Amino acid sequence: MIIVCETKATEAQINVIEQKIREAGLQVHRSDGVEYTILGVVGDRNRLDINALALMPGVRDVVPVSTPYKLASRDFHPEDTVVNVGESVQVGGSDVVVMAGPCAVETAEQIETSAAFAARCGARILRGGAFKPRSSPYSYQGLGVEALKLLRQAGDRHGLAVVTEVMTIDQIAVVSEYADLLQVGARNMQNYPFLTALGQAGKPVLLKRGMAATIQELLMSAEYILTAGNPDIILCERGIRTFETATRNTLDLSAVPVVKHLSHLPMIVDPSHGVGTRRFVAPMARAAVAAGADGIMVEIHPDPDKALSDGPQSLTFAEFEALMNRCRIIATTIGRRFGRAK
Ligand code: PEP
Ligand code: MN
């Protein structure tokens, strides 16, 4: 349920409404929009006298929200949410933000050259796995904390914010020490105690869609983080499992307009894991920008054939540069801004 307050509602009136809800044992989340203040009420509705609530001074409307997610819903927060990442990057505003880097951090030189090139092409956020969720226990698992340090140094050197995956509750503290944005991988999207812990992380979260998750399930996972206290969530479409085998996954680009209709949260697209093959990454990245994504996440590598993970889907630097130039044209054509090449 949400409570839409009168435009002229006073702070004192809003406080009384909030107090009434809390006294009934429900949670209240406040969203101050351009036009209205909206109170999202979470908990057992039967504990509240809705008619009495509707008559309280300052209340304009009491609206039931039928979706199983409330705080992630556009009903609760009509304006787009803009998530600040690091000191200067905003995701969900007018910029289409590019996150680029290798699948995994391998060496100081590999992440340094990747960061330098990504920054030169106009990317704003450096990616690179430190703790890798590999399907096989025998595949490269990442350099752990050493990778976090290398990633942070390379990001700082080139003015890039940093995103990397965190896989367990235990890792949240150390990853938060180095990263500006905490990535939840597809395999962890429905790890609910983990999501709840990320609600207290104090850092924005990049929540990737599970490979067998519906859009509604993605939004419910976001709800876990929101209701645990973290409003800064960026959603990511990265492909889902279907009967199609020609690509690694099936990149569901329709998720972009659907999520933007249902939710206020920003949405980016990862075409690299979506298609799994280098030659298909650029067309889908361009399509993602055209579909209205707030950003793209692309794997690049100085020498993809020697990459320790996901080489076949990693773009060469030249391919990435060409992609950036094309995406810039598409973004500006649809009225969005795009990082300038240096
Ligand atoms: C990744 O981005 O490094 C990754 C492992 O992606 P996903 O969780 O989408 O498979
Ligand atoms: Mn990868």
Side-chain angles (χ1 to χ4, degrees):
M1 179 176 76
I2 59 170
I3 296 167
V4 184
C5 299
E6 295 280 10
T7 42
K8 292 200 185 78
T10 63
E11 200 53 41
Q13 286 171 335
I14 296 174
N15 288 341
V16 173
I17 302 165
E18 287 190 76
Q19 204 181 327
K20 182 104 190 145
I21 297 163
R22 286 204 188 94
E23 276 168 9
L26 286 86
Q27 256 191 47
V28 56
H29 295 259
R30 178 172 170 164
S31 156
D32 290 303
V34 177
E35 279 190 68
Y36 300 106
T37 289
I38 296 178
L39 303 176
V41 182
V42 183
D44 180 5
R45 249 202 268 167
N46 296 323
R47 289 169 163 217
L48 274 175
D49 179 346
I50 295 183
N51 292 329
L53 201 65
L55 291 172
M56 286 181 76
V59 173
R60 179 191 170 98
D61 217 351
V62 179
V63 189
V65 178
S66 53
T67 53
Y69 50 88
K70 318 279 178 206
L71 306 178
S73 160
R74 233 189 230 285
D75 294 332
F76 168 60
H77 193 292
E79 291 99 21
D80 289 342
T81 282
V82 178
V83 174
N84 290 308
V85 180
E87 278 167 21
S88 61
V89 184
Q90 297 195 315
V91 181
S94 57
D95 286 276
V96 174
V97 173
V98 177
M99 310 181 186
C103 179
V105 177
E106 297 167 2
T107 63
E109 192 193 349
Q110 173 241 22
I111 193 66
E112 162 61 27
T113 51
S114 301
F117 198 79
R120 209 176 94 196
C121 295
R124 306 293 311 280
I125 302 180
L126 179 65
R127 66 150 287 148
F131 300 100
K132 294 301 303 173
R134 303 309 299 279
S135 300
S136 164
Y138 308 119
S139 301
Y140 180 65
Q141 302 287 312
L143 292 178
V145 176
E146 180 57 22
L148 295 176
K149 292 180 182 165
L150 295 174
L151 188 69
R152 181 79 258 169
Q153 282 163 10
D156 286 348
R157 220 175 276 129
H158 298 284
L160 298 167
V162 160
V163 58
T164 194
E165 178 161 352
V166 51
M167 286 205 294
T168 63
I169 294 178
D170 293 353
Q171 290 168 357
I172 293 175
V174 68
V175 175
S176 299
E177 224 179 282
Y178 294 98
D180 301 303
L181 177 60
L182 308 179
Q183 179 171 325
V184 176
R187 292 157 188 80
N188 248 334
M189 190 205 85
Q190 289 180 306
N191 182 342
Y192 301 119
F194 181 51
L195 299 178
T196 298
L198 287 162
Q200 302 297 315
K203 289 267 170 152
V205 172
L206 176 66
L207 179 64
K208 298 188 89 174
R209 181 178 181 181
M211 55 186 86
T214 63
I215 289 170
Q216 185 172 88
E217 286 163 344
L218 172 64
L219 293 173
M220 289 192 288
S221 288
E223 189 80 8
Y224 268 91
I225 304 171
L226 291 166
T227 198
N230 189 345
D232 296 319
I233 301 171
I234 302 166
L235 303 171
C236 179
E237 166 60 37
R238 50 75 74 202
I240 49 174
R241 284 267 167 89
T242 67
F243 53 82
E244 183 53 72
T245 55
T247 47
R248 180 175 178 180
N249 292 289
T250 296
L251 189 64
D252 179 15
L253 284 185
S254 54
V256 175
V258 172
V259 162
K260 293 205 145 279
H261 172 68
L262 297 172
S263 177
H264 52 92
L265 296 172
M267 175 85 165
I268 69 157
V269 171
D270 167 359
S272 305
H273 294 86
V275 298
T277 307
R278 193 174 308 141
R279 66 160 57 87
F280 305 132
V281 170
M284 296 314 283
R286 299 195 302 260
V289 175
D294 295 301
I296 49 174
M297 177 185 253
V298 181
E299 286 183 345
I300 63 173
H301 196 284
D303 188 355
D305 292 340
K306 297 216 176 78
L308 297 181
S309 70
D310 284 348
Q313 70 192 31
S314 300
L315 298 188
T316 64
F317 287 0
E319 287 166 338
F320 179 64
E321 184 171 29
L323 171 64
M324 290 294 277
N325 291 335
R326 303 283 290 280
C327 285
R328 188 171 296 108
I329 295 169
I330 297 167
T332 47
T333 303
I334 60 169
R336 300 199 65 172
R337 298 192 315 179
F338 196 85
R340 255 188 286 147
K342 290 169 195 134

